[in-house]
Amino acid sequence: MKIVVGQGSCGIAAGAGRVYDALAQSLAGYPQAQLTIAGCIGMCYLEPIVDLYEEDGRLTRLVRVQEQDVPAIVAVVETGSLDAVSHLEISEDDKAFLAQQTRIALRHCGVINPEQIADYLADGGYEAARKAITSMTPEEVIETIKASGLKGRGGAGFPTWFKWNAARQEQAQPKYLICNADEGDPGAFMDRAVIEGDPHNLIEGMLIAAYAIGASEMIVYVRAEYPLAVKRLRNAIRQAEEKGLLGDHLFGSGFSCRMRIKEGAGAFVCGEETALIESLEGQRGMPRLKPPFPAASGYWHKPSNINNVETFANVPWILANGGEAFAAMGTPDSKGTKVFALTGKIKKGGLVEIPMGKTLRDVIFGIGGGIRDNKAFKAVQMGGPSGGCIPAEKLDTVIDYKALSATGAIMGSGGMVVMDETTCMVEMARFFLDFTAKESCGKCVHCRLGTKRMLEILTRIVNGEGKEGDVELLEELCASIKDGALCGLGQTAPNPVLTTIRYFREEYEAHIREKKCPAHQCPALITYQIDPVACKGCTLCARGCPVKAISGGVKQPHVIDQTLCIKCGKCKTACRFDAVQVY
């Protein structure tokens, strides 16, 4: 029996490392049990996950496994019966989470051991690279990518083949291939999961691209906050070199290529390709004017091509199965599949890969299981701080580049943050502006000062100090920043503000005119009061109040002193009788 413990960052955070260590110790005397690891399979909400593979290949998936469950797993090894772990088996409802997906970029994640190249080779690994390098011309590889309709999955959605072809046409040498793994969007973790769970797939995709453009050096720019991803990728590079899959005269051809890792310091602006190049060169990460584009003058002013992790992760599958097979999925404008990090007020958070053309409803309520605690769905933030909020009335929006852009949001790299009725949209806009204002590199005035002025206005509004004309001033600043900013960070920074004003203008007006937060979230605009009829005098609220603002005797109605109350909400959390009301 093969026992696979999920060892992605999410699983380790939930205790998978301790489970693995306990299993390793307990199974030491059972040679019939093969213990191994895998990356994140995407069901982050069920971690730690342990998969049991029987000799005939049958799979039993155990979820939310803890150290105390190890003896039950050992009992399965001893007896061959699954009775001891029946309480840990995944439910039919949760099985549907994966059953509704089409996995290409994530096809190996959670299935193979990312630290063993043998697992990747056993599933046809590096055969697509062999095919490209030994039996296809670079032009034929680019034509295959063109036929697939693959667009860059980093956010802009630019045709991948066009970027490759532009770099291919340049005569200057050397050429460089760069992977943008600087995943900085709040709530996004797609690239991290791919590198942690399937690093050789990234290497193979980059090898194919390097051959297509004529690059001899590949660089993965990954944020240092991803230590496990860096560790596994470094290990995979070493293994590939030992197997002759990286280095000189690959597959007996005249093509040679090497790979190295550059750990970034976590600046969000370095997700922009020219700022990333500046950082690679040892400079402060600030965008360059374009043109010239990186394809003509990139790293060290040599021809360079930059794509993100998910883009490269699709390439081996496309070469192995044909561009037409990839193009058969999706919509006329957006081909293939897209990976999303589903987070926020969702029942089933994790990684989702679906064909383009599915709707937001399909993902949030179909795969994600709907809203946590059965609250009402309010909006979903697409594209991180560069994206926008899509409201409930547009829940049936098709997921493709054109349809999402029409809502005011963007596809982005794939962050999908779900919000429920308790979310204040003004505070949400302020949160994202706080992020982009801090992450602005400061090179251009519109972004450096414009985002700061917008943040000041939004902060005033949520603090109950908003005034007439603030919304109009925000709209004016948004237009100015979009027109004047140098790079994508500044040009898209206004999106969360514009979309929340567009769809939730009444919330802004309530904050400004009525000095009320409809979602009851902004501390300066809410009041906690105790209903004397509902209050049972249990004293839990008074005992939990950190500033002693609540008074009242046992079995007597309690009262909140508004001059002392700090609006922390602990009284409402503690109350078992729903006596604490928010106004």
Side-chain angles (χ1 to χ4, degrees):
M1 173 177 285
K2 185 166 79 169
I3 301 171
V4 182
V5 182
Q7 293 273 315
S9 288
C10 54
I12 293 171
R18 295 189 297 273
V19 171
Y20 180 89
D21 291 343
L23 279 168
Q25 184 175 359
S26 299
L27 294 172
Y30 296 89
Q32 71 272 34
Q34 177 193 351
L35 181 63
T36 186
I37 66 168
C40 172
I41 200 162
M43 296 186 288
C44 306
Y45 70 104
L46 293 176
E47 295 285 358
I49 295 173
V50 176
D51 288 340
L52 307 180
Y53 288 91
E54 298 183 50
E55 294 296 329
D56 58 5
R58 282 185 297 169
L59 166 65
T60 300
R61 176 157 291 144
L62 311 180
V63 299
R64 299 192 178 98
V65 180
Q66 298 299 321
E67 287 176 88
Q68 60 267 28
D69 299 312
V70 167
I73 298 174
V74 174
V76 173
V77 174
E78 289 178 333
T79 66
S81 171
L82 295 169
D83 291 344
V85 294
S86 59
H87 63 293
L88 298 172
E89 289 188 45
I90 188 171
S91 68
E92 292 300 319
D93 179 60
D94 286 323
K95 285 180 182 179
F97 181 89
L98 286 179
Q100 297 176 72
Q101 299 183 39
T102 301
R103 293 163 72 90
I104 293 178
L106 300 179
R107 64 192 180 279
H108 294 136
C109 292
V111 178
I112 68 171
N113 186 334
E115 298 181 0
Q116 298 293 334
I117 192 173
D119 278 21
Y120 186 70
L121 294 173
D123 198 46
Y126 290 102
E127 287 304 312
R130 181 189 301 275
K131 172 185 174 182
I133 294 169
T134 62
S135 64
M136 299 174 72
T137 66
E139 290 75 18
E140 287 173 335
V141 172
I142 293 173
E143 194 60 34
T144 300
I145 298 301
K146 182 178 181 180
S148 74
L150 176 66
K151 292 184 177 181
R153 297 304 197 237
F158 198 75
T160 301
W161 77 271
F162 192 93
K163 292 178 71 172
W164 290 17
N165 191 57
R168 176 71 191 171
Q169 299 305 315
E170 294 293 325
Q171 298 302 310
Q173 291 288 341
K175 296 180 181 180
Y176 297 97
L177 183 74
I178 302 168
C179 175
N180 182 351
D182 190 63
E183 187 172 48
D185 288 4
F189 49 95
M190 299 78 61
D191 291 352
R192 186 200 74 204
V194 170
I195 298 175
E196 288 180 359
D198 196 11
H200 287 285
N201 189 40
L202 172 61
I203 295 173
E204 184 174 14
M206 291 184 68
L207 264 180
I208 294 167
Y211 172 71
I213 71 171
S216 57
E217 183 174 353
M218 305 185 295
I219 307 165
V220 180
Y221 186 98
V222 58
R223 51 183 44 230
E225 292 95 330
Y226 286 175
L228 183 60
V230 171
K231 173 188 172 184
R232 287 183 178 166
L233 181 57
R234 186 168 284 126
N235 175 66
I237 292 171
R238 178 186 56 79
Q239 291 178 338
E241 289 172 342
E242 291 173 353
K243 291 283 187 180
L245 299 168
L246 278 175
D248 297 329
H249 307 297
L250 300 179
F251 306 108
S253 72
F255 175 64
S256 301
C257 195
R258 300 187 181 279
M259 175 181 278
R260 63 183 174 90
I261 298 171
K262 166 66 176 179
E263 295 183 53
F268 181 67
V269 72
C270 288
E272 196 277 335
E273 59 182 11
T274 60
L276 184 156
I277 289 170
E278 288 286 302
S279 180
L280 271 179
E281 293 178 355
Q283 308 298 319
R284 182 178 176 188
M286 302 176 80
R288 298 174 179 174
L289 283 170
K290 293 185 287 189
F293 293 94
S297 178
Y299 185 46
W300 299 125
H301 302 287
K302 295 296 184 180
S304 306
N305 187 90
I306 303 177
N307 290 113
N308 86 322
V309 174
E310 186 185 343
T311 307
F312 288 125
N314 283 295
V315 170
W317 190 94
I318 292 171
L319 264 291
N321 295 276
E324 294 76 13
F326 192 82
M329 297 176 279
T331 68
D333 175 65
S334 304
K335 304 295 187 181
T337 62
K338 179 72 188 77
V339 179
F340 292 97
L342 193 57
T343 61
K345 303 296 181 67
I346 191 81
K347 288 181 179 177
K348 302 177 182 179
L351 284 175
V352 173
E353 185 173 3
I354 55 161
M356 300 276 201
K358 295 282 189 178
T359 66
L360 292 172
R361 187 186 300 276
D362 292 332
V363 175
I364 296 169
F365 285 89
I367 299 174
I371 309 305
R372 194 186 307 154
D373 300 323
N374 295 318
K375 293 185 182 295
F377 169 73
K378 188 171 187 177
V380 58
Q381 173 77 9
M382 294 283 294
S386 303
C389 294
I390 302 175
E393 58 264 29
K394 294 191 176 292
L395 193 55
D396 291 311
T397 297
V398 170
I399 296 174
D400 73 7
Y401 289 96
K402 189 176 292 185
L404 290 176
S405 180
T407 69
I410 60 173
M411 182 82 72
S413 59
M416 191 179 284
V417 183
V418 178
M419 293 164 264
D420 66 15
E421 60 195 86
T422 66
T423 304
C424 173
M425 303 311 295
V426 185
E427 168 56 27
M428 182 60 64
R430 190 209 64 79
F431 170 82
F432 282 114
L433 251 293
D434 179 65
F435 181 86
T436 49
K438 289 174 178 174
E439 293 291 338
S440 172
C441 74
K443 184 169 186 175
C444 55
V445 174
H446 289 81
C447 181
R448 181 177 72 244
L449 297 182
T451 55
K452 187 174 179 61
R453 294 290 85 82
M454 289 176 66
L455 177 61
E456 289 171 353
I457 296 168
L458 289 165
T459 301
R460 272 207 336 264
I461 293 173
V462 299
N463 285 341
E465 301 167 359
K467 55 189 179 184
E468 290 293 340
D470 275 350
V471 175
E472 291 73 19
L473 181 54
L474 282 170
E475 291 175 318
E476 183 180 337
L477 284 167
C478 285
S480 177
I481 295 169
K482 272 185 169 291
D483 290 341
L486 178 62
C487 81
L489 183 148
Q491 292 162 6
T492 59
N495 284 347
V497 179
L498 286 172
T499 52
T500 51
I501 290 176
R502 177 178 174 182
Y503 298 118
F504 302 96
R505 194 182 190 99
E506 70 282 358
E507 286 200 31
Y508 281 85
E509 293 171 348
H511 281 69
I512 294 169
R513 296 173 182 172
E514 303 169 28
K515 306 302 179 188
K516 292 290 184 183
C517 174
H520 298 153
Q521 293 298 312
C522 298
L525 299 176
I526 60 176
T527 302
Y528 285 88
Q529 295 181 8
I530 298 176
D531 182 348
V533 177
C535 180
K536 306 300 182 184
C538 69
T539 75
L540 283 176
C541 60
R543 283 184 279 163
C545 180
V547 293
K548 308 302 181 186
I550 303 175
S551 59
V554 177
K555 296 187 179 180
Q556 297 296 319
H558 283 46
V559 177
I560 300 176
D561 185 340
Q562 299 299 330
T563 63
L564 296 177
C565 179
I566 60 173
K567 321 288 181 65
C568 67
K570 289 187 176 181
C571 54
K572 184 169 180 61
T573 302
C575 184
R576 298 173 180 174
F577 305 102
D578 200 26
V580 180
Q581 302 297 317
V582 186
Y583 298 97

